[in-house]
């Protein structure tokens, strides 16, 4: 039985890669909870939490400018391993320094670098999946990766909440650092096939801006990807600060402890599991357009209610619905790019797509959290949710509808 017909879990290299990413996400979900809690613990400010998110996102956008060109030029497996090892070292500094007292400046120094390295890893990740499975199974493979990553994300926030409650949020960041070391060790055993000659131009000695223009040009000439880029530009602006908003709502508005924050985030990860497992059959049945548009619309409805509900169970439920639909829309979008982009261009196209998608997101995160601290989480979440529904409505007038 060849790899195209063999179940994904029985394909050796994909299986090892699958394991590595699941372990990495398990630890990374600790940092998702721990870093905002560190800021909130030291400052008590939602705006400072949002500023940290914005700084990290800005570094990620900046890295996206050159990430694709680098990924298309170098050995991708070695790049992923190097990214994991560097993040292990940087995140490992946080609990060491925090042992001598809170140092907020360290988070503003470490997180941007880690987010930039994470962008390099993410672009490489997309291209590696394309090289590990048959093209016809990309949506299935991405769904499986997202589902098991989300399963790890259930345990991660729960563990982060418990560790934060027992020993403080800094220790949870240390678990994240260790997870990157395990991921790097697993990647040493992954074998990637040779890059297929799709007839597209490989990067030569052109400058970074030229490489970025190559990716942008491909997006501009593909009607569906062009529309998706514009729609996701607005969606990312509205939603990047959601995690900070939920944490602040639980801690400040509802007066809940760190353990409850971890439980709610774990419940949200269950939604991601459901969305990741459903996306392949739903897309086969409904098509790309209805799946993506419907997911974004439901995201908006869930977001609109997050700031108004007062029961922890309701917050957890809406978070799960939101993340389930984000997972479905994101998996559809990534799979489509992998399917239609020539392999030698995939890094640069992914890089250009994410650069444009997240270009305004750091500003959005800062504005969202500042507004919520000033005017309250309920009206800000409601306004952002309504805007997300309008994005889905606008998509009905674009080529995304019939894709």
């Amino acid at each position: 039985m060849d790899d195209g017909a063999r179940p994904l879990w029985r394909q050796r290299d994909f299986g090892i890669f699958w394991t590595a990413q699941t372990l990495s996400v398990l630890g990374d979900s600790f940092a998702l909870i721990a870093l905002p809690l560190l800021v909130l613990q030291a400052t008590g400010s939602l705006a400072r939490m949002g500023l940290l998110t914005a700084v990290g996102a800005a570094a990620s956008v900046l890295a996206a400018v050159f990430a694709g060109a680098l990924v298309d030029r170098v050995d991708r497996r070695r790049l992923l391993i190097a990214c994991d090892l560097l993040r292990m070292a940087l995140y490992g500094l946080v609990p060491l320094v925090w042992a001598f007292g809170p140092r907020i400046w360290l988070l503003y120094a470490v997180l941007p670098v880690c987010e930039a390295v994470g962008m390099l890893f993410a672009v490489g990740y997309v291209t590696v999946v394309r090289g590990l499975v048959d093209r016809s199974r990309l949506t299935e493979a991405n769904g499986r990766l997202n589902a098991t990553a989300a399963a790890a994300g259930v345990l991660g926030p729960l563990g982060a909440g418990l560790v934060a409650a027992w020993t403080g949020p800094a220790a949870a960041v240390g678990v994240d650092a260790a997870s990157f070391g395990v991921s790097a060790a697993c990647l040493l055993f992954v074998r990637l096939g040779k890059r297929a000659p799709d007839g597209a131009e490989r990067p030569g000695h052109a400058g970074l801006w030229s490489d970025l223009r190559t990716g942008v040009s491909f997006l501009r000439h593909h009607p569906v990807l062009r529309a998706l880029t514009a729609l996701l530009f607005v969606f990312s602006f509205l939603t990047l600060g959601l995690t900070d908003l939920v944490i602040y709502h639980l801690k400040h508005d509802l007066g809940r402890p760190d353990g409850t924050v971890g439980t709610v985030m774990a419940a949200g990860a269950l939604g991601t599991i459901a969305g990741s497992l459903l996306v392949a059959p739903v897309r086969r049945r409904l098509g790309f357009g209805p799946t993506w548009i419907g997911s974004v619309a439901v995201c908006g409805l869930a977001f609109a209610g997050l700031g108004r509900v007062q029961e922890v169970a309701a917050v957890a439920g809406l978070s799960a619905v939101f993340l389930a639909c984000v997972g479905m829309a994101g998996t559809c979008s990534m799979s489509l790019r992998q399917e239609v982009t020539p392999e030698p261009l995939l890094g640069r196209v992914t890089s250009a797509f994410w650069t444009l998608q997240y270009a305004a997101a750091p500003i959005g995160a800062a504005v969202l959290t500042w507004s919520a601290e000033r005017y309250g989480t309920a009206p800000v979440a409601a306004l952002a949710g309504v805007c997300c529904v309008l994005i889905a409505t606008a998509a009905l007038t674009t080529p995304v509808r019939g894709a």
Side-chain angles (χ1 to χ4, degrees), residues 249 299-310 314-315 318 378 381-382 385:
H249 183 50
C299 279
L301 296 175
F303 198 171
L306 271 170
R308 293 190 175 277
V309 293
Q310 300 297 309
V315 176
L318 289 175

Side-chain angles (χ1 to χ4, degrees), residues 143-156:
R144 295 293 184 272
L145 284 163
N146 290 341
T148 51
V154 173
L155 298 177

